[in-house]
Amino acid sequence: MNRRKLLQLLSKGAAAGAFVKLSGGLAQSKIPQGATESMKVLGATLREYGERSEFEKDVIRYISPNLRSRHTGADFAPLEKLEGVITPSSLHFERHHGGVPNVNPADYRLVIHGMVERPLMFTLQDLKRFPSVTRTYFIECAGNGQNGYRNPPDMTLTATRSRGLVSNSSWTGVPLSILLKEAGLKEGARWLIPEGQDAAAYTRSLPLEKALDDVLVAYAQNGEAIRPEQGYPVRLVVPGWEGSIQVKWLRRIQVTDTPVMSKDETSEYTDVMADGKIYAFTWVMDPESIITYPSGLQQIQRGFHEIRGLAWSGHGRIRRVEISLDGGKSWKQASLEPAPDALSVVRFKYNWVWDGKETVIMSRAWDEKGNTQPTQEEFFAKWARNNRYHYNAIQAWRIGADGKVVNGDKTLAGAPAQLGAVGRGGCGGES
């Protein structure tokens, strides 16, 4: 195209506010009527790594002010401020026992030893040479929902503080079964003892059967290297099981015939039952759901609302989520989006027109194995009041006539005012 034709085209577009002037080879646009300030100046330049908008800086993890140390404890993903089902890596909940180590990937080594034919040592690059898989799985702290042990219930509870110790990510890595096959398992091998290279030398016992099924030695999360607080450069991902067994900053795996019975599977991460028995190795996370809108401390107006929330289960896919708009007297089926994946979070939705009257809303999830969420009363018929883990009872939200949303859980008759998760602070410091 020659210069004359170009100028003709530009002049024809001028009436519609197109380019009207060429100066120094740079086209300058006519400022449209009613233009905003951002339309009058050049925007930001290219940058090497993306940043979120400055107007989204309040979307952050919640850290309890009651934590005695930020080197050990947990923070919560801001569930009610997130969309979709993938948790941004920067907002994935954290749980640490000795702070976040700074591991140089050039020096990284993973050792597999013990009851194997060939003890092996892998660099990070060695691991990346093996066939990789990418899977979307949730990771949930065993202490998620610990605020449900409070009695009377905390009226300042939010969706984040109720169930924010769960996150959902796309994980990439090598199946652990491949590495174990390379090492060769000796007869009698039954357990793995993975160890992290944090200051706590965090150690757990993992059954060989699970390791050979679907466990990943992961080095990427949501398309990039795992974040330091999530185990950089390498961690275990144990789908559907409590987060405490998914060792981060993975350093070595010992193959044995017995569990190690470490501190964090004896004095911690054991469950007290209502009959006084204490169970160990209660790894699988039961089905859960949480309404994130409308939810605690939010304010709504009369009229149409899309009730939204999240559901997940360590037993498999979520098959159904039901919504109650009358405190559990009746239930209606919600829609699920996207199509549920096994051992992954799914979002549920339900269209609702609020008439302005006080009510209590709640959700309950069903998984493909037929498991569902109990009521508070049903939960505490099985689990002791001073337990700290695996709380999955239905979470209720009470909506007042003024549109304010607060915790809708009931005060349980005869329950002590201070329960295990409260008196001891829990991993999230929620005392």
Side-chain angles (χ1 to χ4, degrees):
M1 181 182 297
N2 60 35
R3 180 179 176 84
R4 177 175 295 178
K5 288 184 177 180
L6 174 61
L7 292 175
Q8 288 175 344
L9 287 174
L10 291 174
S11 63
K12 288 179 180 179
F19 296 103
V20 296
K21 183 179 180 181
L22 289 173
S23 176
L26 176 65
Q28 297 181 347
S29 61
K30 181 179 179 180
I31 297 177
Q33 185 176 2
T36 63
E37 290 302 313
S38 64
M39 300 170 68
K40 300 176 183 179
V41 295
L42 288 173
T45 61
L46 299 172
R47 60 186 71 178
E48 289 80 5
Y49 195 82
E51 299 285 344
R52 63 180 176 177
S53 168
E54 64 178 284
F55 304 107
E56 298 295 326
K57 293 298 177 66
D58 63 331
V59 182
I60 55 177
R61 292 182 285 226
Y62 170 77
I63 301 177
S64 173
N66 298 317
L67 275 177
R68 286 175 288 183
S69 169
R70 290 196 176 191
H71 286 99
T72 178
D75 57 29
F76 299 72
L79 298 187
E80 66 269 26
K81 296 181 179 180
L82 300 179
E83 305 291 343
V85 297
I86 296 296
T87 309
S89 299
S90 56
L91 295 174
H92 191 293
F93 84 91
E94 297 180 82
R95 173 66 170 111
H96 311 313
H97 295 81
V100 179
N102 185 24
V103 182
N104 187 333
D107 300 328
Y108 176 78
R109 300 294 185 271
L110 170 61
V111 174
I112 298 180
H113 66 114
M115 296 179 67
V116 295
E117 300 293 341
R118 297 171 295 279
L120 297 174
M121 179 183 292
F122 302 97
T123 67
L124 180 58
Q125 291 307 311
D126 290 335
L127 294 176
K128 291 184 176 182
R129 290 176 57 204
F130 283 95
S132 65
V133 298
T134 297
R135 300 286 187 269
T136 301
Y137 294 128
F138 75 84
I139 293 180
E140 181 180 16
C141 178
N144 200 21
Q146 61 193 221
N147 274 304
Y149 285 100
R150 292 173 180 266
N151 197 63
D154 178 4
M155 302 309 291
T156 67
L157 192 68
T158 62
T160 289
R161 291 177 55 232
S162 173
R163 292 297 196 280
L165 295 180
V166 66
S167 295
N168 200 51
S169 292
S170 172
W171 301 99
T172 299
V174 55
L176 179 53
S177 59
I178 293 179
L179 302 182
L180 294 175
K181 183 178 180 180
E182 286 290 309
L185 296 169
K186 289 186 176 180
E187 185 177 352
R190 294 290 182 273
W191 291 83
L192 306 182
I193 314 300
E195 181 184 76
Q197 54 183 308
D198 57 342
Y202 186 78
T203 305
R204 289 297 303 266
S205 301
L206 175 66
L208 180 60
E209 182 180 9
K210 177 66 171 177
L212 294 176
D213 180 19
D214 56 5
V215 175
L216 292 182
V217 176
Y219 46 76
Q221 175 187 13
N222 297 335
E224 64 178 357
I226 291 174
R227 296 291 176 99
E229 64 267 31
Q230 297 308 324
Y232 181 86
V234 173
R235 70 169 296 160
L236 285 184
V237 174
V238 185
W241 286 24
E242 64 186 26
S244 64
I245 203 170
Q246 308 192 39
V247 176
K248 298 184 287 186
W249 315 291
L250 185 64
R251 172 177 176 266
R252 67 184 178 109
I253 299 174
Q254 181 180 1
V255 181
T256 72
D257 57 354
T258 58
V260 70
M261 305 305 291
S262 69
K263 171 184 71 70
D264 289 294
E265 55 196 19
T266 51
S267 66
E268 302 289 338
Y269 300 108
T270 52
D271 289 289
V272 184
M273 313 307 290
D275 61 5
K277 294 179 180 178
I278 298 177
Y279 289 172
F281 302 144
T282 50
W283 300 296
V284 181
M285 302 306 293
D286 289 328
E288 294 192 56
S289 68
I290 180 75
I291 293 175
T292 57
Y293 178 83
S295 62
L297 302 190
Q298 293 178 347
Q299 184 82 33
I300 67 170
Q301 296 178 338
R302 180 183 304 189
F304 174 82
H305 296 274
E306 182 183 66
I307 295 176
R308 296 189 290 269
L310 302 168
W312 61 96
S313 174
H315 296 279
R317 288 176 175 82
I318 292 295
R319 284 303 187 204
R320 185 168 83 253
V321 175
E322 295 175 335
I323 301 292
S324 177
L325 305 172
D326 53 15
K329 296 176 183 177
S330 63
W331 295 87
K332 304 177 185 298
Q333 188 163 336
S335 61
L336 303 182
E337 183 184 87
D341 287 331
L343 310 175
S344 179
V345 169
V346 66
R347 183 166 287 277
F348 61 84
K349 301 178 180 180
Y350 184 81
N351 293 337
W352 176 50
V353 177
W354 181 46
D355 60 8
K357 297 178 181 179
E358 181 172 321
T359 191
V360 174
I361 63 173
M362 53 182 66
S363 64
R364 65 183 180 189
W366 301 75
D367 64 34
E368 60 185 347
K369 301 292 179 60
N371 304 296
T372 190
Q373 292 178 260
T375 63
Q376 287 177 278
E377 293 83 359
E378 291 169 340
F379 180 85
F380 286 114
K382 176 183 177 182
W383 304 83
R385 295 279 177 84
N386 63 339
N387 191 38
R388 301 171 64 194
Y389 306 111
H390 291 272
Y391 185 86
N392 75 319
I394 293 169
Q395 172 68 58
W397 301 116
R398 180 175 298 277
I399 302 174
D402 59 357
K404 184 177 181 180
V405 187
V406 297
N407 188 356
D409 286 348
K410 302 175 183 177
T411 297
L412 300 175
Q418 194 173 56
L419 304 178
V422 180
R424 297 174 65 186
C427 59
E430 290 287 88
S431 58

